[in-house]
Amino acid sequence: MNLELQQFKAEFFKALAHPMRIRILEVLSEGERTVNEMQAILGSEGSAVSQQLAILRSKNIVFGSKEGTTVIYSLRDPLVKELLAVAKRIFDNHLVGTITMLENMRTE
């Protein structure tokens, strides 16, 4: 694998390395949203949501299109939705492994 691709992957995953950014991507996986809609769903201030969207935009993970004075955000690549689903499955696998380990410890 070449260095350029490794660098891209590292930067991409850095952009995902914040719980609010992950939650924003989960919300956008369900469909386009405005900042106000995301604020309501996330229960967060607009400035916090806007800051996280700016990071996701700068890494070309989300896209904003203007409709009048409103910006509608969406995922730039629908594969992000699949990536989040795979990450959840990996988490589930780790959780199952941890539960199994705890059960084994209890029976010893």
Side-chain angles (χ1 to χ4, degrees), residues 41-78:
I41 293 167
L42 300 171
S44 183
E45 296 177 10
S47 61
V49 172
S50 293
Q51 285 176 330
Q52 301 308 325
L53 280 167
I55 292 167
L56 293 169
R57 262 193 335 266
S58 73
K59 299 299 181 185
N60 291 317
I61 297 171
V62 300
F63 176 76
S65 59
K66 220 164 187 187
E67 289 186 13
T69 59
T70 304
V71 179
I72 309 291
Y73 286 94
S74 60
L75 296 177
R76 186 170 290 277
D77 189 328

